[in-house]
């Protein structure tokens, strides 16, 4: 019996590649004067320009209209000069394409028929993204066209991780105690694993389609990835993060794993070997860097992790917080971001300020 | 300059004290055939007997009526034979006594005038519990009378920890993103520290009054204690947990700290040196025990940490989960509990079963 080791694909750009947009330079390992900067949920309700468009169309209509979603995607880049544009979409678009009726209410997303039986899992299809979600790839191509004159700006695609998608699909929306998915976990783990595996297959083809359409980096969002203890993480969450990460065309675009609330399972998270790891503000970047180095992942790009609530502060309070974050991030293998999505109360002027402080180089790194 | 070291009071009962209720035996360090068992939120909506009383009075009326709150406190003990009775009350009673108008709605607690200014903090009083919350001490005395014939059963008092109380008082209720308390933290930390200190003073006299009235163990609930990173925890949360723990008459009753969502800061949590540490299901009891031993706290009592959602499972699924928990808890210095409060959908029969399994000794420890 022989063991076949398939080395996972890793994004490994050349530092001498002058055409590399700034967002991707941290993956070369070169020392940088300042990190790239973008914000999770950088397009959204806190921007007046976004609200103007949303007053005319529903959230789902916006997601499915490439002309409008392109406009919204570009708004923060135009207003604040972020180093990246992230496509405007929702992580629940693929579950809808798998066969689940989706709606967005004032209280968040709602699946009219949440998954509550193994038969429902079997009935879900692994959708062909080109057929069932063509508007996403259309959006990506449009955005690359719009950005053609700005090669220093990178375009980011994304998807929800299997566990987080399963949480929404089983709970039917946001949840206080996740009792339905946990019931499955305890009562019928085999069906839950089947669902998670199907979701991983779905996400792999979806993200690879995004990369093929022109996404220059992809981010896998595991918003509820920190819900369980380490044993639970290793059983139900990590294997599907890793399956997705291992299935992506990462020589073409780096894959960043966003792990929320996972400060208690960082060693295990590192075993998924993403190109980049994006963490929330409860995680110390210094501890994480140290753990990554200890595990041999010296080139791992860290992304984060300013508390998005800090973005609501007065400029004189905010500036040292951004400075402190840059210090912990370091002068290489690091992308500045918030630890969680910007909230609707964020003052747009603060987003503008943070980008300016970082771009100008007046804040020091490392 | 000399340093005065005041050795903190610790609960140190004698193993040969035959009058010790079972709940307190883990604090002696003796090896036990089976651990004591009780449940956070063991009295509550999942019990029909509770709902019958709540149909007649509001939640706050119930908290303030010692006759009714005694009846509710005793319901799970009478129905399931738990090893402890915990007084039925709410952690927000002291903030109300400090001067904040409190109401309970279907969506949870609401403070009509949340704290939003330093002047409001200064206006809060440190209440005399005997004067402003006499119904709590009355409840404790009543319960001790009711339990006089059952010396093997212990009575538990409790309070919310300063940080968690401050979260509610500043946010005005439950919060999605804690943006108001975090704004204080970033913008005006001095005022926040003043509030937390005032809350610590309030909680100390309140819990000592409970001990004086007859509480045989007290638990300090820090439900939101895991909200920040380690630096934030050490700055705003831990000092006030420690101040409270150090201020209690712990020779008379052990103090247990309940730390929710704190698996990422366990080493720091241990520095508060409680008599017992109660943790949620994201925390590994084995890792925690190992950390406690490494820090010289070999006698620390651990409490927890079965996922309360597991309590909704079929008995044949639930039993091995309880068994696994007892194994990780060990045969000494351990109290069985859930990792978070029981939820309204918990089948009462499962609570009964878990108590029976543990009391009968059919599940093995260690």
């Amino acid at each position: 019996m022989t063991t076949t080791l398939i080395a996972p694909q890793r994004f490994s750009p050349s530092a001498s590649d002058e055409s590399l947009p700034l967002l991707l330079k941290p993956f070369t390992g070169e020392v940088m004067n300042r990190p790239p900067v973008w914000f999770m949920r950088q397009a959204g309700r806190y921007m007046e320009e976004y609200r103007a468009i949303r007053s005319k169309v529903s959230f789902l209509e916006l997601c499915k209209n490439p002309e409008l979603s392109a406009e919204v995607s570009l708004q923060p880049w135009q207003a604040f000069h972020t180093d990246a544009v992230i496509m405007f979409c929702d992580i629940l678009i693929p579950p809808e394409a798998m066969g689940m009726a989706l709606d967005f209410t004032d209280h968040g997303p709602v699946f009219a028929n949440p998954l509550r039986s193994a038969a429902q899992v079997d009935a879900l299809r692994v959708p062909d993204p080109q057929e069932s979600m063509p508007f996403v790839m259309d959006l990506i191509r449009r955005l690359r066209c719009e950005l053609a004159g700005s090669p220093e700006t990178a375009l980011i695609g994304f998807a929800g991780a299997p566990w987080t998608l399963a949480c929404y699909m089983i709970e039917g929306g946001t949840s206080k105690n996740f009792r339905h998915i946990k019931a499955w976990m305890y009562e019928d783990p085999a069906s839950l694993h089947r669902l998670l595996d199907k979701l991983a297959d779905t996400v792999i083809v979806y993200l690879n389609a995004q990369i093929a359409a022109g996404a220059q980096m992809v981010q896998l969002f595991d918003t509820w990835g920190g819900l369980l203890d380490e044993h639970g993480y290793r059983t139900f969450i990590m294997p599907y993060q890793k399956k997705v990460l291992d299935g992506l065309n990462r020589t073409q675009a780096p894959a960043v794993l966003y792990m929320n609330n996972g400060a208690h399972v960082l060693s295990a998270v590192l075993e998924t070997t993403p190109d980049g790891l994006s963490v929330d503000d409860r995680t110390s970047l210094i501890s994480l860097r140290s753990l990554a180095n200890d595990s041999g992942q010296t080139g791992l790009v860290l992304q984060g992790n300013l508390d998005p609530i800090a973005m609501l502060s007065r400029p004189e309070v905010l500036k040292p917080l951004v400075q402190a974050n840059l210090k912990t991030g370091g002068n290489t293998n690091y992308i500045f971001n918030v630890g969680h999505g910007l909230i609707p109360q964020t003052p747009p002027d603060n987003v503008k300020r943070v980008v300016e402080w970082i771009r100008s180089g007046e804040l020091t790194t490392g």
Side-chain angles (χ1 to χ4, degrees), chain A residues 272-294:
Chain A
T272 65
T273 60
D275 297 296
L277 183 55
S278 191
V279 292
D280 71 336
D281 63 272
R282 292 167 74 254
T283 306
S284 156
L285 288 185
I286 290 176
S287 306
L288 179 56
R289 177 75 73 198
S290 164
L291 273 176
N293 288 345
D294 291 348

Side-chain angles (χ1 to χ4, degrees), chain A residues 94-117:
Chain A
E96 188 192 40
M98 294 173 84
M100 295 193 65
L102 172 66
D103 195 16
F104 283 85
T105 72
D106 288 345
H107 302 292
V110 175
F111 285 112
N113 302 299
L115 296 180
R116 296 289 157 82
S117 74

Side-chain angles (χ1 to χ4, degrees), chain A residues 8-27:
Chain A
Q9 294 186 52
R10 298 296 290 266
F11 185 66
S12 47
S14 161
S16 61
D17 181 354
E18 306 247 328
S19 70
L20 217 54
L22 189 81
L23 181 76
L24 303 186
K25 290 198 190 283
F27 297 92

